[in-house]
Amino acid sequence: MPFHHLPRRSLGFFPTPIVELPRLSQVLDGPRILMKRDDQTGLALGGNKTRKLEFLIAEALHQHCDCVITAGAAQSNHCRQTAAAAAMVGLDCHLVLGGTSSEQAHGNLLLDELLGAQIHWTGTDRKGEQLSAIASQLQAQGRHPYVIPYGGSNALGAVGFVAAMAELQQQLQAMSASVDAIVFASSSGGTQAGLTVGKSLLAMDIELIGIRIDKAEDQQLSYQDQLAELATTTAKLLQSDRQFHSADFRVETAYLGAGYGRVGDLERSAINLLAQSEGILVDPVYSGRAMGGLIDLIRKGQFNPQQTVLFWHTGGQPALFAPQFSLQETS
C-alpha cells in the first residue's frame, strides 16, 4: 500500500478482531452482522483513534516536538487516546477541552488526568477553536508543540483508516468472507474519508455508511463536501491523483437526536440490546448512536437476510461511566 513511505509509530494491537453477532442478527431477523472490534486496540482501553495517532505521533517525533496538543469535548475518546500515546513515547500532552473543571473527574476525563495530561478548559468551545492560541502560548514558553486537529482528522490521520481498509481486506480474504456494507460513526470525518480512500485504492466493492454523530456547524461547506476535500487531500498524500466528490459519501443524518452527546432512546435501546444479546458494550456518544442507526436501518429493510453488514466499533466505553450520560430507559 502507498502509506508505507510515511513514518508510523506502533501504538496498538493490530489487526483488531472481526467477530460475528449471531444473536443480534437473530433478534433483528435481518442480515448477517459482523463487528470490527477497534475498541480492542489496547491503547488506554482502546478505540479507533489509535490508528490515526500511529501516523500523527510519528510525525511529532520526526519533527522533534516535545509536547502534543489536541482538543475535544470533556469526554473525548480521541483526547484520552492522545494522552496515552503521548505518555507511551515520552511527550507532554495538553488537552483543550470544552466545558469547565469539575470537582470530581469521571470516565475519559478521569483517564486523561491519570495519564498526566494538562487540561485547558474552554467553555463552549469544544472543537479546537482555541488550539492555535494555546499552541502559541506554549511556543512563547519555549516549548515545541505538535498540534493534532480535532478528532485527529487531517489527511495524515485519515491515512490510519486507509491502512485499516487494507487490514480489513486481508482479514476478509483469510476468512473467505465478503461484506456488502460497513456502518460506522462519522463525526470529525477522518474515519469516513480514510475508509473511502482505502476502498478506492484497493478496489473494494463495499458500501460505506456513515452515521452522523454531530450536527454540521460549517455552513459554508456541507459535511459531504468536507469529506470529499479531506479524502482528495489524503489520496494526494499517498501519491494518488484520485479526486473525490460529495456524491461518494453516504451519510445518514436521521439519528442526530437532540445533538452531540445527548443520549436518547435510540442510544439507550441500542446499548442495552447489544449488551444483552452479545455481551458487547458500546459508548453513549459514538458507537451507541451508530449502532442505533444500524438497528433502525435493518428494521426498515435496508438490508436483506442474504447480505452481510460489518459494524465498525470505534470504542469509547469509558464514557459509560460519566454521570451526564444516563442509560436508564425513559418511560
Side-chain angles (χ1 to χ4, degrees):
M1 280 295 293
F3 54 80
H4 292 306
H5 69 285
L6 296 171
R8 185 175 186 178
R9 176 62 160 84
S10 177
L11 298 172
F13 304 143
F14 298 108
T16 56
I18 296 174
V19 299
E20 187 161 2
L21 308 183
R23 284 172 49 78
L24 181 63
S25 298
Q26 183 179 29
V27 168
L28 297 174
D29 192 25
R32 180 189 186 197
I33 305 175
L34 304 178
M35 177 181 281
K36 179 72 165 151
R37 295 293 304 270
D38 266 13
D39 60 315
Q40 301 293 312
T41 58
L43 183 64
L45 301 182
N48 70 316
K49 302 297 185 179
T50 305
R51 296 186 181 276
K52 300 177 180 181
L53 288 164
E54 289 203 329
F55 291 92
L56 295 164
I57 291 292
E59 185 174 66
L61 294 172
H62 183 72
Q63 293 180 3
H64 304 291
C65 296
D66 58 14
C67 59
V68 296
I69 175 173
T70 195
Q75 286 296 324
S76 167
N77 299 304
H78 163 66
C79 288
R80 182 245 310 160
Q81 289 168 81
T82 300
M88 279 186 67
V89 302
L91 298 175
D92 290 341
C93 181
H94 293 260
L95 300 179
V96 181
L97 302 183
T100 56
S101 178
S102 57
E103 290 185 4
Q104 189 171 5
H106 300 271
N108 281 307
L109 182 58
L110 173 64
L111 299 180
D112 294 340
E113 295 181 356
L114 185 63
L115 292 162
Q118 182 171 333
I119 310 298
H120 305 262
W121 294 103
T122 57
T124 57
D125 293 338
R126 66 171 176 84
K127 288 195 171 184
E129 292 89 343
Q130 298 185 34
L131 268 176
S132 296
I134 296 175
S136 296
Q137 293 173 17
L138 290 170
Q139 289 170 338
Q141 297 167 14
R143 306 302 302 275
H144 185 190
Y146 180 83
V147 177
I148 297 175
Y150 176 77
S153 291
N154 58 11
L156 187 60
V159 168
F161 269 88
V162 179
M165 279 297 269
E167 175 184 301
L168 175 66
Q169 185 181 60
Q170 292 176 355
Q171 288 179 293
L172 292 175
Q173 289 173 348
M175 296 167 59
S176 298
S178 62
V179 168
D180 297 290
I182 301 174
V183 177
F184 50 90
S186 189
S187 179
S188 57
T191 297
Q192 187 157 6
L195 290 175
T196 301
V197 174
K199 168 189 169 179
S200 176
L201 295 179
L202 294 164
M204 297 174 71
D205 185 18
I206 300 177
E207 184 178 19
L208 301 177
I209 305 173
I211 304 296
R212 191 79 171 104
I213 301 303
D214 203 355
K215 294 180 181 178
E217 296 178 5
D218 183 354
Q219 301 302 318
Q220 297 178 341
L221 209 60
S222 74
Y223 184 58
Q224 281 91 334
D225 284 335
Q226 294 176 50
L227 289 171
E229 277 195 3
L230 180 54
T232 299
T233 306
T234 302
K236 185 177 180 180
L237 182 61
L238 297 176
Q239 302 172 340
S240 169
D241 60 359
R242 300 196 185 199
Q243 300 286 314
F244 295 88
H245 308 280
S246 60
D248 297 323
F249 300 90
R250 178 175 173 182
V251 180
E252 294 290 334
T253 60
Y255 307 108
L256 290 167
Y260 179 87
R262 302 294 182 90
V263 180
D265 291 340
L266 176 87
E267 293 82 14
R268 293 189 189 96
S269 177
I271 291 167
N272 280 279
L273 179 58
L274 183 64
Q276 293 167 22
S277 64
E278 298 288 353
I280 296 174
L281 302 175
V282 288
D283 79 298
V285 180
Y286 293 91
S287 292
R289 180 165 290 179
M291 176 56 72
L294 171 60
I295 290 169
D296 186 66
L297 290 173
I298 291 172
R299 286 174 169 162
K300 287 180 175 177
Q302 288 276 319
F303 309 102
N304 65 59
Q306 287 70 47
Q307 290 183 299
T308 298
V309 178
L310 183 139
F311 180 82
W312 204 298
H313 190 333
T314 52
Q317 292 95 322
L320 289 169
F321 304 103
Q324 64 262 44
F325 301 129
S326 174
L327 297 181
Q328 294 181 335
E329 296 282 359
T330 57
S331 59

